[in-house]
Amino acid sequence: NLFMKNFNSYSLLFTVLGYCLSAVSCSSSKAVVVNKVEPDPKVLIGVWQLKDNQIFEKWTQLSVTEYLGVSYDMSPGIAEINETMRIFKADNNWIFEAKTKENKFQPVQFKWSADPVWHLMFLNEKNEYPNIIKYRISEEGSLNAQISNLNGEKVKEFIFHKVMLK
């Protein structure tokens, strides 16, 4: 009788534990974890259009450790390239390399840094501006990009929507 009483108590405990664990695993599968050990540049793949503008970013994957992006303006009627970008892994570090028209397409590199909110955050403390480049996918599916200086005073936000190509 004592065995059955203990068995029923343990059975109830395991049932409750099992329910709790399944509830936790179900809810955690819905959560978006963005501060991973490794960045996931795959979120960038595709063509993105800047909200209310004719500026686009197009990202492609060359390999598991290399992604290419280009920012271009279609308002002149032809694609005018503003920036080329590359995310790649070198010496166990992920690097964001930007070549902008303003900088005569000279490469500037930023090193990946984990962030609890942004899918991708890259940092270059020595660059004049920007020092930080960030990307994340919003709940609505838009691509939010942000550039800023180190102390967060000079912030520029960009909201892109994915474009379906015909």
Side-chain angles (χ1 to χ4, degrees), residues 94-96 98 108-112 122-124 127 130-131 133:
W94 282 90
I95 306 295
F96 181 99
V108 179
Q109 294 187 345
F110 300 78
K111 187 177 171 184
W112 177 74
F122 299 91
L123 180 65
N124 179 335
N127 193 42
N131 302 110
I133 298 173

Side-chain angles (χ1 to χ4, degrees), residues 3-17:
F3 171 76
M4 285 306 289
K5 187 175 179 184
N6 285 339
F7 178 77
N8 286 337
S9 296
Y10 286 125
S11 178
L12 177 63
L13 177 66
F14 285 124
T15 302
V16 169
L17 278 175

Side-chain angles (χ1 to χ4, degrees), residues 43 48 136-144 159-163:
V43 299
W48 302 88
R136 74 171 169 221
I137 303 295
S138 72
E139 289 181 11
E140 300 82 35
S142 61
L143 176 65
N144 296 356
I159 299 173
F160 293 90
H161 298 285
K162 201 154 205 177
V163 177

Side-chain angles (χ1 to χ4, degrees), residues 68-135:
L68 293 180
V70 63
S71 171
Y72 57 96
D73 185 352
M74 288 299 293
S75 60
I78 59 166
E80 187 176 288
I81 295 175
N82 297 323
E83 179 178 14
T84 61
M85 298 155 290
R86 182 174 164 230
I87 296 174
F88 61 98
K89 193 170 189 179
D91 300 326
N92 284 330
N93 292 312
W94 282 90
I95 306 295
F96 181 99
E97 183 179 81
K99 296 178 183 178
T100 63
K101 185 167 55 172
E102 295 85 13
N103 198 27
K104 298 183 175 99
F105 292 100
Q106 294 302 306
V108 179
Q109 294 187 345
F110 300 78
K111 187 177 171 184
W112 177 74
S113 181
D115 186 84
V117 176
W118 294 85
H119 288 90
L120 298 166
M121 183 175 90
F122 299 91
L123 180 65
N124 179 335
E125 294 178 13
K126 295 176 182 171
N127 193 42
E128 187 177 328
Y129 180 83
N131 302 110
I132 301 170
I133 298 173
K134 301 178 186 179
Y135 285 98

